Amino acid sequence: METKALILITVAMTMLGMALGASHTVGAPHGSWDLQTNYSQWVSRIRFTTGDELKFQYSAAVHNVVEVSKTGYDSCNGSSPISTFPTGNDVVPLATIGTRYFIGGVSGHCNAGMKVEVNVKSKEVRTVQRCRRTGNRRRCQSETVLSSATSAGVDQSTVARLGLIVVAAGLMLFF
């Protein structure tokens, strides 16, 4: 009986995690919010979607995080911040589609490369690149496609709610 309950709880947590989004530690796995990490390279490997979150982990005695506009990002100027995060263990939810800009607010840090640009996309839409070969030439086209849940008219939050209801009903049957 306890094993079945644990299985149901594990399934529920997995479904909830998929519905809520991913947590991305900035710079991980080989770096953090520091002066050594290549953030352009780090972001290039990740697809950020609504519901995800960024975790900035760093020494608060030496660094901080400042969210700025594109102008502030390009010029490394944090004098008009959107938000400032000083704790060393900051979590930033990515709730809306769009580009967010973060810099190290300590003098000289941004100019030394401590800055990251995060492009947040919708969970439901993704870009697929389709390539085909014609002789020695390769032609590629990018197209935007809907996820299977979206094209079927199913909302992600509805799927999560239904999954949690099923798990709750299963738990009630066991207890």
Side-chain angles (χ1 to χ4, degrees):
M1 176 109 36
E2 288 178 23
T3 304
K4 291 179 184 178
L6 285 174
I7 291 170
L8 283 171
I9 290 169
T10 303
V11 169
M13 295 304 288
T14 301
M15 290 176 72
L16 189 59
M18 286 173 22
L20 293 177
S23 180
H24 305 283
T25 301
V26 176
H30 304 295
S32 63
W33 189 240
D34 56 34
L35 292 165
Q36 288 80 39
T37 302
N38 181 332
Y39 299 106
S40 297
Q41 189 176 52
W42 177 75
V43 228
S44 71
R45 292 181 237 155
I46 300 171
R47 183 174 191 274
F48 300 96
T49 59
T50 53
D52 288 358
E53 67 182 16
L54 292 178
K55 287 173 128 181
F56 288 90
Q57 296 180 327
Y58 56 92
S59 168
V62 190
H63 303 297
N64 68 358
V65 179
V66 179
E67 183 173 5
V68 295
S69 65
K70 174 145 178 52
T71 304
Y73 179 84
D74 291 341
S75 63
C76 282
N77 185 342
S79 63
S80 299
I82 295 170
S83 299
T84 301
F85 306 94
T87 70
N89 194 24
D90 306 309
V91 177
V92 179
L94 302 175
T96 58
I97 297 168
T99 304
R100 310 263 307 260
Y101 304 93
F102 302 92
I103 65 173
V106 174
S107 180
H109 286 195
C110 178
N111 288 321
M114 200 169 173
K115 59 195 260 183
V116 64
E117 175 180 342
V118 176
N119 187 7
V120 183
K121 299 182 180 191
S122 169
K123 278 187 186 302
E124 291 81 19
V125 178
R126 59 188 170 94
T127 302
V128 176
Q129 188 172 35
R130 300 183 194 282
C131 299
R132 63 183 174 150
R133 226 176 252 291
T134 309
N136 290 337
R137 294 181 49 205
R138 183 175 157 184
R139 288 185 45 169
C140 296
Q141 277 185 313
S142 293
E143 70 181 74
T144 302
V145 296
L146 297 174
S147 72
S148 56
T150 304
S151 60
V154 179
D155 179 20
Q156 292 282 8
S157 61
T158 303
V159 172
R161 276 189 231 120
L162 287 173
L164 290 174
I165 290 169
V166 168
V167 170
L171 285 171
M172 288 186 342
L173 289 174
F174 288 119
F175 297 107

